[in-house]
Amino acid sequence: MGIYREMYPTSRPELPVLAESYTKRVIADRSNVVEYLREGRPIYDILEDMVDLVGRREWIRSARSLRSDGVWVWRVDSIFYLERYSLEIPDEFLEHARQRDYRPDQEIDFSDQLFKSSYREYI
């Protein structure tokens, strides 16, 4: 969710292209969803800053670090992009965050196979 080919130094053709991920659809609760993402539990820290791939002026601290709610996994730079740009957010994730009243679960079962497979997609 919220990851794009350009975020990785190696080829990731299965991921969407950032420039093709904009939407005209209004996501009225985008700010609530962004806050949900911010409040996700940190699960993997990488102390590497990366430049904003769109504006190329701001630096994103710990961009490749990962957060989760125990079901979904996302990168810190994904939060940055989804907040600042009109990028698509999957309906499945929107419903997920809304059903949890925009409060991510902080208890994560790191042994859960679904969680492990999601986590591996981001590394």
Side-chain angles (χ1 to χ4, degrees):
M1 199 280 302
I3 60 169
Y4 309 95
R5 288 182 198 179
E6 298 86 349
M7 292 175 159
Y8 292 90
T10 58
S11 178
R12 299 286 300 261
E14 75 278 9
L15 295 176
V17 174
L18 182 60
E20 296 172 1
S21 299
Y22 285 87
T23 183
K24 291 183 182 198
R25 174 173 76 138
V26 174
I27 301 172
D29 58 346
R30 183 179 288 272
S31 62
N32 292 348
V33 173
V34 167
E35 191 59 31
Y36 180 91
L37 294 168
R38 274 197 192 104
E39 291 181 12
R41 181 175 172 185
I43 59 169
Y44 188 76
D45 287 324
I46 300 175
L47 301 175
E48 176 185 11
D49 299 345
M50 298 180 77
V51 72
D52 170 7
L53 295 170
V54 178
R56 302 245 181 239
R57 293 181 185 201
E58 289 185 72
W59 286 86
I60 306 165
R61 299 189 69 176
S62 300
R64 293 177 44 213
S65 295
L66 301 178
R67 294 184 175 266
S68 180
D69 60 8
V71 177
W72 288 77
V73 176
W74 54 90
R75 288 174 44 145
V76 167
D77 51 356
S78 297
I79 303 167
F80 177 93
Y81 295 119
L82 293 172
E83 178 179 33
R84 283 172 178 74
Y85 305 110
S86 295
L87 298 172
E88 188 60 66
I89 301 174
D91 287 331
E92 185 180 10
F93 183 80
L94 291 172
E95 286 306 311
H96 176 80
R98 290 168 182 155
Q99 288 174 354
R100 285 156 183 74
D101 197 27
Y102 309 103
R103 292 187 193 116
D105 192 350
Q106 297 296 310
E107 297 298 318
I108 296 175
D109 180 1
F110 291 97
S111 66
D112 180 74
Q113 291 304 315
L114 180 59
F115 172 79
K116 283 182 178 182
S117 69
S118 293
Y119 172 78
R120 278 186 230 125
E121 289 293 318
Y122 287 82
I123 301 298

